C-alpha cells in the first residue's frame, strides 16, 4: 500500500517556493495516493514563535493548503501537536539515530549559524521528529522540495537501523518525491539563496497572500543580469537569477526550462517578466482569494484540523502500540 505524508511549518509567509516545491505537487498526488498533510507546529517552535502568531499561522497555512486544492475531506489535514504519536516516536528515534548523522545536517548548520551553542536542542533533533512524522503512519512516499532531501535520507537510515536493531521488517523505507521544474525556488534578490519564509526582505519572495500589484512589483524588481535572456541551458550555471526566473516560469506553465529558453532566447528580460507576472497572478490570484475567504472563519478551519487530527490519531495509535511492543515497553 502507498501512503503519502508531508508537512509544512506554520511559520508565516507561505511563498511561491512552498507552492511550487511542495503544495502544488500534493494537490496533484491526491488522486493516486492516500495522503496525510500536516502543519508541523512542533517543528516550528524549534526556533522562537510568538504564541499568537503561531496560532494564526497554523490556520493560515491550513487555509493555504485547502485553497490550493488539498481535499481535507478525502485526505487528512491536521496540525502535528494534536497527535501525541509524533513526539512519542521522535523520542524513540532520538535513541536510534546517531549524533554523527545529525552533525551532517546542513539545515541545522544554516539555521543555527555562528551561535550553535545557543540553538535549541529541538533544532538539533528536528530531523528525528520529521522521521517520526513520516514513519508513525508508515508512509511510503514523501513529496518535498529539494531542501528536504537530506532529512529524508536520514529518515530512511533511521527506519533501516530500527528494523535491523530490533530484527524486524516493520518500517517501510520512505521514498522522497521531488517533482517539477521548481523543486528549489531561489530568492528574487539573490539567485544563490533559497526563497525562504524567514528572509528579512519581503522582496526576496512572492507570498501566497500577495495581491496582483505586489506580485508585479516584486517580479519587476527581481534581480537579473546585464545580458539578454539566455539562449542555451548551459548558460544557466553562471546566471543563477536568470535560471531561477526561468525555472519559476517553467513550473507555472508546466513545461521545462529548455522550452522557456527556446521561446525567449535573446529577448530582453522586461517582456519575459511581464508574462511571468501574468502567469503568477493567474495562478496565485484565485488561491489568494480563497485563502482570505477561509481565514474569515477560523472556527471552520479549527474544526477541519480537529477532525483531521482524530483521523490521523486513529492511524498512528495502533502503529505506535506495535512499536512499543517491538521496543519492549509495556502496553499502554
Ligand atoms: P517549510 O516552509 O520549510 O516548512 O517547507 C515546506 C515545504 O516547502 C517543504 O516541502 C520544502 O521542501 C518546500 N520548500 C520550502 N522552500 C522552498 C523553496 N525555496 N523551493 C522549493 N521548495 C521549497
Ligand atoms: N522539515 C520540513 C520543512 O521544513 C517540514 C516537515 C516536517 C516535513 N515533517 C515533515 C516534510 C515530514 C515532509 C515530511 O520543510
Amino acid at each position: 500500500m502507498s501512503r503519502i505524508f508531508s508537512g509544512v511549518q506554520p511559520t508565516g509567509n507561505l511563498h511561491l517556493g512552498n507552492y511550487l516545491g511542495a503544495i502544488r505537487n500534493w494537490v496533484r498526488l491526491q488522486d493516486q495516493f492516500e495522503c496525510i498533510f500536516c502543519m508541523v507546529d512542533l517543528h516550528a517552535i524549534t526556533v522562537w514563535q510568538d504564541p499568537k502568531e503561531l496560532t494564526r499561522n497554523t490556520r493560515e497555512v491550513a487555509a493555504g493548503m485547502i485553497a490550493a486544492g488539498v481535499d481535507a475531506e478525502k485526505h487528512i489535514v491536521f496540525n502535528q501537536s494534536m497527535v501525541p504519536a509524533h513526539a512519542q516516536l521522535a523520542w524513540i528515534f532520538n535513541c536510534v539515530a546517531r549524533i554523527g548523522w545529525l552533525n551532517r545536517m546542513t539545515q541545522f548548520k544554516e539555521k543555527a549559524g555562528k551561535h550553535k551553542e545557543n540553538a535549541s536542542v529541538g533544532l538539533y533533533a528536528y530531523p528525528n521528529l520529521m522521521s517520526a512524522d513520516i514513519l508513525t503512519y508508515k508512509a511510503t512516499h514523501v513529496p518535498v522540495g529539494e531542501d528536504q532531501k537530506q532529512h529524508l535520507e536520514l529518515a530512511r537510515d533511521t527506519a533501516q537501523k530500527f528494523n535491523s536493531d530490533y530484527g524486524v521488517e516493520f518500517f517501510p523505507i520512505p521514498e522522497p518525491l521531488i517533482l517539477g521544474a521548481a523543486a528549489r525556488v531561489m530568492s528574487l534578490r539573490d539567485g544563490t539563496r533559497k526563497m525562504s519564509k524567514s528572509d528579512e526582505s519581503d522582496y526576496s519572495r512572492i507570498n501566497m497572500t500577495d495581491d496582483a500589484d505586489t506580485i508585479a512589483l516584486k517580479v519587476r524588481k527581481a534581480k537579473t543580469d546585464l545580458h539578454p535572456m539566455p539562449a542555451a541551458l548551459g548558460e544557466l550555471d553562471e546566471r543563477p537569477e536568470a535560471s531561477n526566473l526561468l525555472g519559476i516560469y517553467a513550473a507555472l506553465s508546466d513545461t521545462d526550462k529548455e522550452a522557456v529558453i527556446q521561446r525567449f532566447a535573446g529577448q530582453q528580460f522586461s517582456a519575459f517578466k511581464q508574462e511571468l507576472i501574468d502567469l503568477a497572478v493567474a495562478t496565485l490570484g484565485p488561491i489568494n482569494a480563497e485563502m482570505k475567504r477561509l481565514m474569515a472563519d477560523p472556527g471552520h478551519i479549527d474544526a477541519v484540523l480537529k477532525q483531521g487530527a482524530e483521523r490521523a490519531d486513529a492511524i498512528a495509535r495502533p502503529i505506535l502500540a506495535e512499536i512499543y511492543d517491538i521496543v519492549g515497553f509495556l502496553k499502554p
Side-chain angles (χ1 to χ4, degrees):
M1 200 210 40
S2 297
R3 177 181 284 156
I4 276 186
F5 183 96
S6 198
V8 57
Q9 299 194 61
T11 45
N13 298 329
L14 265 189
H15 54 69
L16 192 63
N18 295 132
Y19 179 67
L20 294 176
I23 298 173
R24 188 176 73 159
N25 299 327
W26 303 355
V27 173
R28 294 178 174 185
L29 290 161
Q30 291 182 116
D31 295 335
Q32 293 151 268
F33 292 90
E34 173 196 353
C35 300
I36 305 174
F37 298 124
C38 186
M39 267 55 62
V40 291
D41 48 10
L42 299 175
H43 277 102
I45 63 162
T46 56
V47 299
W48 169 251
Q49 303 296 326
D50 175 81
K52 284 204 177 65
E53 284 289 303
L54 180 62
T55 307
R56 207 197 93 82
N57 286 332
T58 302
R59 292 183 181 128
E60 186 173 278
V61 171
M65 273 188 210
I66 296 167
V70 167
D71 183 343
E73 296 276 318
K74 195 161 161 224
H75 299 282
I76 296 177
V77 175
F78 75 109
N79 61 306
Q80 190 182 27
S81 60
M82 277 203 211
V83 178
H86 295 253
Q88 291 170 306
L89 184 55
W91 180 259
I92 295 173
F93 286 166
N94 281 342
C95 304
V96 173
R98 305 288 92 183
I99 288 177
W101 301 0
L102 290 177
N103 282 344
R104 288 195 284 275
M105 295 296 114
T106 55
Q107 183 174 298
F108 174 74
K109 290 180 203 163
E110 278 161 26
K111 284 199 176 178
K114 289 192 203 89
H115 309 289
K116 216 168 79 185
E117 303 296 315
N118 216 13
S120 73
V121 176
L123 188 66
Y124 184 70
Y126 176 116
N128 292 338
L129 178 59
M130 181 161 160
S131 306
D133 297 341
I134 298 163
L135 293 166
T136 198
Y137 302 97
K138 292 190 167 184
T140 52
H141 295 80
V142 185
V144 281
E146 208 161 81
D147 61 328
Q148 296 302 313
K149 201 169 162 204
Q150 194 184 34
H151 289 159
L152 246 299
E153 272 154 23
L154 188 122
R156 291 165 62 88
D157 290 345
T158 303
Q160 227 140 25
K161 185 163 190 301
F162 180 97
N163 286 349
S164 88
D165 284 355
Y166 290 102
V168 290
E169 282 299 320
F170 187 74
F171 289 122
I173 310 303
E175 289 288 336
L177 293 176
I178 297 171
L179 305 167
R184 189 172 177 80
V185 177
M186 309 308 281
S187 157
L188 300 181
R189 309 300 296 159
D190 176 353
T192 63
R193 289 173 53 186
K194 77 169 178 179
M195 186 176 283
S196 134
K197 290 170 178 164
S198 55
D199 197 312
E200 39 325 317
S201 166
D202 202 50
Y203 283 99
S204 69
R205 65 182 161 258
I206 294 175
N207 299 315
M208 282 172 72
T209 49
D210 284 343
D211 60 22
D213 290 343
T214 310
I215 293 174
L217 188 65
K218 287 178 175 178
V219 173
R220 283 202 195 96
K221 276 184 175 272
K223 189 174 167 201
T224 52
D225 50 39
L226 297 171
H227 307 286
M229 292 288 293
L233 265 182
E235 286 178 43
L236 297 184
D237 297 342
E238 314 275 288
R239 303 179 62 186
E241 283 81 18
S243 176
N244 186 37
L245 294 178
L246 243 65
I248 294 173
Y249 187 104
L252 284 171
S253 56
D254 263 317
T255 68
D256 52 26
K257 286 184 183 175
E258 182 69 51
V260 185
I261 287 178
Q262 296 209 341
R263 169 110 201 270
F264 291 98
Q267 297 186 29
Q268 295 305 311
F269 271 98
S270 51
F272 164 79
K273 278 187 168 179
Q274 186 52 52
E275 284 204 35
L276 183 56
I277 291 167
D278 295 343
L279 266 175
V281 170
T283 306
L284 295 182
I287 298 177
N288 186 328
E290 180 61 7
M291 255 175 107
K292 283 212 182 91
R293 199 186 64 79
L294 291 165
M295 282 300 281
D297 186 359
H300 173 72
I301 299 178
D302 292 3
V304 169
L305 294 179
K306 184 153 183 281
Q307 187 243 78
E310 280 162 11
R311 289 160 63 205
D313 189 63
I315 300 173
R317 205 174 274 270
I319 293 175
L320 191 73
E322 285 184 74
I323 296 168
Y324 268 43
D325 198 43
I326 292 168
V327 172
F329 293 158
L330 298 179
K331 287 240 163 67

